Amino acid sequence: MKKIIFILSCVFITLTFFACSNKNTSEQSTLSSNESVGAITQTETKKFNVGVVQLVEHVALDKATQGFVDALKEALGDNVNIDVKLAQGETNNCALIANDFVSKGVDLIMANATPALQASIAATGDIPILGTSVTEYGTALSIENFSGTPGGNISGTSDLAPLSSQAKMVQEVFPDVKQVGILYCSSEANSLYQVKVITEELKKLNIEASPYSFSDSNDLASVLTNAISKCELIYIPTDNTCASNTGIIENICADAKIPVVTGEEGICKGCGSITLSIDYYDIGVTTGKMAAQILNKEKNISEMPIEYAPSFTKKYNKANCENLKINVPNDYVEIQ
């Protein structure tokens, strides 16, 4: 009898041990599963930090930044924090802002305008950099025979308008003009690129073009005054310094009854007559979508080519055209 009781006791102890062991295994499995779910949730809700360095505050660049912010917020919602910094038109400030973003370890930098792009590239070779409002990346990055894809940690969008079409627009609206002055800031590499191209395009139409460069806003008025004394029309490319000083240009050209053709809508609204322009908000949106693809690891920035505006619109400044008695063709849209 005692032997039977002893055997039953051993069986009971053995069953209890295995029950406890299975319970512990189950708990460990559940814990492991919960930890895995937590890891997935943490990955899915990762907070991204994006820095925006914008060269200067004016209509075109402001619209590009807004488009970028709107598109990235739409794609990532509350999972992205976007810090926008303005460099007040100073290249040195672009470098300070870019280096600050690098020190903070942001996940991506959006550089609005060529000097901002160049400063960001100098600050980091690792953090993804997307440029926008950059006219020609080969010129901006000193890449000969640029293929369209910068490679490395760089890509972005271009604000280059079809310069040949802009030259034809000059002839279309001002058929009697034979002498055009091209106004631009000598410190902006992409402006110089446009000057060279538009000069050749105007030459094909038997229109002589002369460059008039200024170093900064301090000598803008004197250079422009000299230009209008020799030219019948002023052409302004997508130049940031001109865009920030349209008031000066407007006062001088309006008084002299000299029409101004511009490379983009913002400058035209401030001092111009007509333009063939991209929409800077649209290229900002495109840049924002590119940023979302990079942050979500859907695309590798080193393989992403530069993207361009899909369309261009002929626009006119109604007040200036009426003041100068310019007959604007019906396919031009009034700038609001």
Side-chain angles (χ1 to χ4, degrees):
M1 184 67 178
K2 290 181 179 180
K3 185 175 181 180
I4 294 174
I5 292 173
F6 174 78
I7 293 172
L8 290 173
S9 296
C10 290
V11 171
F12 176 77
I13 291 171
T14 301
L15 291 174
T16 301
F17 172 82
F18 278 110
C20 291
S21 176
N22 288 337
K23 180 181 179 182
N24 289 337
T25 301
S26 177
E27 287 176 349
Q28 289 175 353
S29 177
T30 301
L31 178 60
S32 177
S33 176
N34 287 338
E35 286 175 346
S36 177
V37 170
I40 293 172
T41 303
Q42 186 178 9
T43 300
E44 291 177 345
T45 59
K46 174 178 170 57
K47 299 287 186 179
F48 297 106
N49 291 306
V50 172
V52 175
V53 50
Q54 179 176 321
L55 173 64
V56 67
E57 190 175 10
H58 65 67
V59 175
L61 299 192
D62 291 349
K63 289 175 69 175
T65 292
Q66 191 60 57
F68 175 81
V69 171
D70 290 349
L72 193 52
K73 281 288 187 182
E74 182 178 353
L76 300 180
D78 294 334
N79 293 330
V80 62
N81 175 59
I82 305 172
D83 187 7
V84 178
K85 299 290 187 185
L86 300 175
Q88 307 302 326
E90 297 291 335
T91 302
N92 289 339
N93 288 343
C94 288
L96 291 172
I97 294 168
N99 282 311
D100 182 55
F101 285 149
V102 172
S103 68
K104 291 177 178 177
V106 297
D107 298 290
L108 182 142
I109 295 174
M110 193 280 266
N112 195 346
T114 299
L117 176 66
Q118 292 169 333
S120 299
I121 292 170
T124 177
D126 301 315
I127 297 172
I129 299 170
L130 287 175
T132 195
S133 310
V134 176
T135 304
E136 210 282 317
Y137 280 76
T139 300
L141 305 178
S142 299
I143 301 174
E144 293 185 8
N145 301 317
F146 179 57
S147 66
T149 303
N153 64 324
I154 308 162
S155 191
T157 55
S158 169
D159 64 355
L160 180 63
L163 296 172
S164 61
S165 297
Q166 289 186 351
K168 292 174 183 176
M169 182 179 65
V170 170
Q171 188 179 60
E172 174 187 41
V173 182
F174 306 98
D176 298 327
V177 166
K178 295 300 179 184
Q179 182 67 48
V180 173
I182 306 177
L183 183 71
Y184 71 102
C185 182
S186 58
S187 64
E188 297 193 30
N190 280 297
S191 293
L192 180 58
Y193 168 82
Q194 293 173 82
V195 170
K196 291 178 179 178
V197 175
I198 196 73
T199 297
E200 291 301 315
E201 294 298 332
L202 289 169
K203 186 177 180 180
K204 293 176 184 177
L205 303 174
N206 296 316
I207 299 174
E208 185 177 349
S210 302
Y212 289 87
S213 66
F214 59 93
S215 58
D216 56 40
S217 58
N218 294 322
D219 63 342
L220 169 58
S222 61
V223 171
L224 179 57
T225 300
N226 180 43
I228 63 173
S229 69
K230 302 174 181 178
C231 302
E232 305 161 84
L233 180 146
I234 297 296
Y235 173 83
I236 302 175
T238 54
D239 184 284
N240 289 297
T241 310
C242 287
S244 299
N245 293 277
T246 56
I248 296 174
I249 300 169
E250 167 74 2
N251 291 337
I252 294 173
C253 291
D255 288 346
K257 299 293 183 180
I258 297 292
V260 178
V261 176
T262 71
E264 58 94 3
E265 179 182 343
I267 301 176
C268 191
K269 183 176 183 179
C271 65
S273 301
I274 60 171
T275 184
L276 177 63
S277 180
I278 69 165
D279 189 319
Y280 276 78
Y281 183 84
D282 287 347
I283 63 169
V285 168
T286 299
T287 315
K289 291 178 178 178
M290 293 172 73
Q293 292 173 327
I294 293 166
L295 294 173
N296 285 330
K297 300 189 182 306
E298 296 170 5
K299 288 190 176 181
N300 186 334
I301 190 171
S302 67
E303 300 172 353
M304 299 174 75
I306 300 302
E307 297 199 26
Y308 295 82
S311 61
F312 310 91
T313 306
K314 292 180 177 180
K315 294 191 173 185
Y316 73 102
N317 182 321
K318 183 179 181 179
N320 283 354
C321 287
E322 288 180 347
N323 180 49
L324 296 173
K325 296 180 173 54
I326 299 171
N327 293 319
V328 181
N330 293 332
D331 59 340
Y332 282 68
V333 178
E334 180 185 346
I335 296 174
Q336 301 297 323

